[in-house]
Every structure is written in structure tokens, then in C-alpha cells.
Amino acid sequence: MKLALTRTFWFRFVAILIILVFAVVLFFIGKQHTVLIDNKTVTVGGQEIRALQLVEIQIDNKDSMELAARDRDKEDVTGQKHSVTVIYTDSNWEEYTIERTFEVPLMQEMVLLSIPTLVANPEADQSLWLENYEPPTYAVTAADREEEVIIDDLSVLLTDI
Amino acid sequence: MTLHMTKTQKLLRIMGNNMVPILFLVICAFGIPLSGYSANFLASEIVIRISRNSFLIVSLLIPILAGMGLNFGMTLGAMAGQIGLILISDWGIVGIPGIILAMIISTPISVLLGWWCGKILNMARGREMVTSYIIGFFMNGIYQLVVLYGMGAVIPVRSNALLLPRGYGIRNTVNLIGIRRALDDLLLIRLFGIPIPLATLLVITVLCLFILWFKKTKLGQDMRAVGQDMEVARAAGIKVEHTRIISIVISTVFAGYGMILYLQNIGTLNTYNSHMQIGMFSVAALLVGGASVSKANIRNVFLGVILFHLMFIISPMAGKNLIGQAQLGEYFRVFVSYGVITISLVLYEVRKKRDQHYVGLQLAADQEALQ
């Protein structure tokens, strides 16, 4: 069959192309990521960075959360570019605010944001305090029992026979 | 000379033409006081049902216009919509972008299935309804093959929340938490305490306007002509088969979108069952609204949703209050759903024969007047 390159064909072709581009845009802006906000003591480059006693965190314009030392919380976000605001007080009760933006790689479902590392290195590259997080294997291991899939509407009749 | 009918005959004729809505009005009139529900509760439930089901029912209008009867094959579109939802759930696309992306994914699948269904229906001319009903069952087998054995094995699906423990196939239920009520809550207002999902109602309004506009287009007029008489339409140069296929394609695509809107409201997808009953209930609701196999309009859609779902809401409680068993209400509504389709189909045939008889009498009267 010979393809007729008429004006109608090109209109349809461009329309399909626009829809495909739109679909890709939707994929980028609608992709959900989980940001784990971690306030635990960590060791970076052989140097120990201690957890903060109490810290207030806000991701984008969502409700802020308070984390004590060794706490971990999570926030679900959509899209790739986000901001984090960290409010904490030092030992002299002086309040500090750090605001940073970060970008979650598209195919990373879950990232871990280390608050102590961010506070210790507020100007550092995001790769220092934001890393991909793979849930432990036991958390995603399948249940032992196989799930029964019911696809036959009439199966209820068969059991009575 | 016109054949005159007495007032009683006219009244009986009107009642005969609207037998099903009248029957449902009577059932609801008895059921509402028995159920004991407040007007506010019933109104809010009805608004939810309208926003949830209307899109699916509107998708049935175009095949009726083209004379193809009630498109039970809309389950094909529903399956396409569900595949779109499974994929966006796996990719983690949420909110409105997720809903639109699911619609985009479902479109080519719906078009393909609709085209194929239309081709078969052209071969089974005159028996479109039963054929489309059986096509739905057949396609369900293919859907199960794809979803139960293809997904995870051939089609990449990574999410453990979706995959069966064996590593392939989708679980019985898919949680649509990411898109749950995303459209409904986009523009939610409260009127006298009744939540009104404006965004969803706006989408349904746009679809209704599209249907009204479509009927006036060249294609819409062609469909009407094909619906009235295929041979006359063919003689007038209309591509009858092509027009009929397009009507089924449009219906299937809209059914896919309707299913996505339906499930975003519900928030859970029953992978292997959600689509099965949707055709039956949509058809029943349309018939309850006073539509017939050959004639339906938007008024029938909304009247049908209100009456049919009102019965669904009140019947369990009415059954419980009446004889102390909610089970009776459950039984009653399932019985009525299938019963109403049967009554409508029988009434359609009776009405057709009666009209033919009336036309015969009119002709005889005209000839008598000429002599």
C-alpha cells in the first residue's frame, strides 16, 4: 500500500506527534517521588556529622514537620524540581534557616535527604545530601502464599456442584 | 385525513412510551420513605453517581444514532481504560496528569478494539447487540491473557504492589490512591452541604455539548441516515460500513475515558471484574431513562442515572426496614437491573409492532378518504 503524503496525512501526523510530546510532558510533571527526610548521625568522607536535636522541615509548600534526632519521615512529591526549607537552632538557641532547591532524577522512586549533611554543607552539591534509596529486600519480598486470581464470574456456581 | 385518538388512548400511548421511567418513579416513590434516608444524603449520593457514571452512559448514544443499538461492546473501551490505569499506577504518575496520561494510553487501544468490533458488527448486521455482548466476553479472555500472563513477563511492570507474588500478572485489586478523586476534588464546592465536583461535571458537560454538536455535523447526519435506513443511505452515497465502524470507535474511546473517570472516583480497580458489569449497568441506566434501542438522547442519560442509581441507593435500606434483611434489597436491585433491560427490549418490539399497526390504520383511513 502506497502512503499518500497529503495535507490531511501531515495534519494527522503532527497531531499525533503533539499528543505524544504532551504525554511525555505529563510523565515528567506527574511522576511521584518519595522523599525520605532523615535526621540521623552520618559519616561523610570519614567525618561524623551529628544529628540535630530538633529541626523543622518543609518540602515545597507542604505542611512543615518537626524531626528530633534519629527521626525519619517522608513526603510524597510530584515532578522533579523541589525546594526544602530547614529551620533549626544551634546550642546558643540561635535560629538558622537554610533553603535549597533540589532535583529528583526521573526514574528514582525514592530518595533520601540527609538533614545533618545538608546543614553541615548548605552550599554543597545536592549529590552530597540527596541519594537514591532502595527499600530493603525484606520490605518488598513477595508473600509466601500465592494470591488467588478470580477471573471466572461463574466459578461460584461450580463450587456448589 | 388523520386517524384521531381519544384522550385516554393518547394517555395510554404516552404511558406506554415511558413505561420504564414511570415504573422506576413508582419504585423510588415507595422506596425513599421506606429507606429513611434524608433528602440531603440522597442528593449528595445522586450527585456522586451522576459524576461517576454519566460519561460512560453518554458513550452509548452515538451507536444508537447510527442504528447499531445498545453498544454492549463498550466493555472493550473499559478494558483499554483499565490498561491505561494499570500502566500509570506502575509508572507512579499521579493526579490530573495521571488521568490524562491514562486516557492517552487507552485511546489507541480503544480505537483498535472499536475498529475491530465495528468490522465484526458489520458482518452481523441486524444482531449488533447480542454480537457486541459476546465480543465483550471474548475480548475479556484476551484482556485476561494480557494482564494475567503478559504484564510483568512481556510488558514491563516493576511495581511489587501491582505484580502477583509469582512475578508476573496483575493482582486482583489495584490501589488507585494516586489518582483517587483527583478530578472530583479539583473544583469541589458545597451547596447546602452537598459536595458538587464541578470539574467532573464540566467534563461531562463538554462531552454532552460535543454529542449535540456532533449530531449536526456531516458525519452525524450520515450516522442518522444510516440509522434510519441503510439502503437509502447507501444509495445517497454514504459509506455505510465505514460510518458504522466510526460510531463504534467513538463509543469505545469514550467508554475508555468514562471508565477512567469512574475508577478515579472509586479509587480502586478490580482488575478482572471492574469492566465486566459496566456495560450492563450503563445500558440499564440509559433504558431506565426512557431510551430505546433506536432512540436515545442526553435527557435519557441523566434521568436514567438519577432513577437507576436512586434505586441502588435506597433498596438495601428499604429492604432492611421492610423485612429486616438488607439482602432483599441487594437481590432486588440486581433482579431489577436485568429485568429492566428485558422489559425495555420487549417494549421496544411491542411499540414497533404497534406503530406499524398504527401506520397501517392511517394508510387505510387515507385510502378510504380518497375513495
Side-chain angles (χ1 to χ4, degrees), chain B residues 94-354:
Chain B
V94 298
I96 300 294
I99 292 175
I100 301 173
L101 191 57
M103 287 178 174
I104 292 175
I105 294 166
S106 80
T107 307
I109 306 171
S110 294
V111 169
L112 203 70
L113 292 176
W115 176 81
W116 173 73
C117 181
K119 279 274 203 194
I120 293 175
L121 295 186
N122 273 340
M123 292 175 202
R125 212 165 296 150
R127 296 176 299 280
E128 285 92 350
M129 282 198 289
V130 70
T131 311
S132 63
Y133 192 57
I134 297 301
I135 287 174
F137 282 115
F138 168 69
M139 203 54 219
N140 187 39
I142 310 274
Y143 169 82
Q144 283 170 7
L145 182 74
V146 171
V147 176
L148 196 53
Y149 297 102
M151 288 196 166
V154 183
I155 302 163
V157 173
R158 294 177 306 152
S159 171
N160 287 300
L162 292 178
L163 285 177
L164 287 164
R166 68 180 182 211
Y168 62 90
I170 302 297
R171 289 177 189 269
N172 277 316
T173 33
V174 173
N175 190 354
L176 300 175
I177 190 79
I179 61 156
R180 187 171 187 269
R181 297 187 61 83
L183 187 64
D184 293 345
D185 291 345
L186 188 66
L187 267 173
L188 191 76
I189 60 158
R190 283 186 180 274
L191 213 64
F192 306 112
I194 301 162
I196 302 183
L198 277 184
T200 315
L201 295 180
L202 194 71
V203 171
I204 294 164
T205 309
V206 169
L207 178 70
C208 292
L209 291 174
F210 171 82
I211 297 285
L212 292 175
W213 168 79
F214 182 79
K215 282 181 177 176
K216 290 175 186 163
T217 60
K218 163 85 172 59
L219 188 58
Q221 293 296 329
D222 285 357
M223 282 183 189
R224 197 190 295 272
V226 170
Q228 279 167 0
D229 195 318
M230 270 190 270
E231 291 317 312
V232 173
R234 201 190 308 278
I238 296 169
K239 292 178 185 169
V240 173
E241 280 73 22
H242 183 70
T243 309
R244 281 161 58 93
I245 290 174
I246 289 177
S247 78
I248 293 292
V249 167
I250 295 173
S251 173
T252 313
V253 170
F254 284 158
Y257 298 165
M259 192 66 185
I260 291 166
L261 292 187
Y262 173 85
L263 289 171
Q264 67 87 32
N265 180 278
I266 301 267
T268 312
L269 160 66
N270 285 324
T271 315
Y272 303 99
N273 304 101
S274 276
H275 56 279
M276 285 303 288
Q277 297 299 330
I278 212 72
M280 183 65 75
F281 290 141
S282 299
V283 164
L286 188 63
L287 293 174
V288 167
S292 74
V293 174
S294 61
K295 201 176 170 203
N297 55 37
I298 287 163
R299 194 183 59 235
N300 301 136
V301 172
F302 290 101
L303 183 64
V305 175
I306 293 170
L307 288 178
F308 188 64
H309 286 279
L310 192 58
M311 188 205 65
F312 263 52
I313 298 159
I314 61 173
S315 59
M317 196 50 88
K320 193 180 171 190
N321 290 341
L322 195 65
I323 58 155
Q325 278 186 350
Q327 193 72 38
L328 177 81
E330 292 288 329
Y331 153 77
F332 185 67
R333 66 186 184 181
V334 172
F335 159 73
V336 170
S337 306
Y338 291 108
V340 74
I341 295 176
T342 315
I343 291 174
S344 298
L345 296 178
V346 171
L347 281 178
Y348 172 70
E349 285 302 320
V350 169
R351 211 176 298 154
K352 204 163 81 175
K353 280 194 179 135
R354 192 191 59 196

Side-chain angles (χ1 to χ4, degrees), chain A residues 28-29 31 33 78-82 102-107:
Chain A
F28 275 83
I29 62 170
K31 175 84 178 167
H33 307 272
T78 51
Q80 288 186 272
K81 284 187 178 173
H82 305 283
F102 61 96
E103 201 169 313
V104 183
L106 185 67
M107 295 316 287

Side-chain angles (χ1 to χ4, degrees), chain A residues 20-94:
Chain A
L20 285 177
V21 170
F22 183 54
V24 172
V25 172
L26 288 172
F27 189 94
F28 275 83
I29 62 170
K31 175 84 178 167
Q32 189 177 51
H33 307 272
T34 303
V35 180
L36 297 174
I37 302 145
D38 192 67
N39 185 24
K40 288 179 184 170
T41 301
V42 286
T43 307
V44 178
Q47 191 193 348
E48 188 182 73
I49 304 172
R50 293 187 65 79
L52 298 150
Q53 285 306 308
L54 194 67
V55 61
E56 191 183 324
I57 312 286
Q58 189 182 25
I59 302 283
D60 297 334
N61 291 320
K62 293 172 182 273
D63 293 339
S64 58
M65 55 182 95
E66 276 193 355
L67 298 182
R70 293 193 292 174
D71 271 358
R72 180 183 281 182
D73 212 327
K74 71 162 191 167
E75 193 74 77
D76 289 326
V77 293
T78 51
Q80 288 186 272
K81 284 187 178 173
H82 305 283
S83 65
V84 55
T85 308
V86 182
I87 303 169
Y88 68 99
T89 49
D90 65 4
S91 52
N92 299 321
W93 296 101
E94 205 161 321

Side-chain angles (χ1 to χ4, degrees), chain B residues 11-28:
Chain B
L11 187 70
L12 283 173
R13 193 179 169 84
I14 292 168
M15 281 182 73
N17 287 345
N18 297 289
M19 175 83 92
V20 180
I22 291 169
L23 191 70
F24 266 73
L25 270 174
V26 172
I27 293 171
C28 292

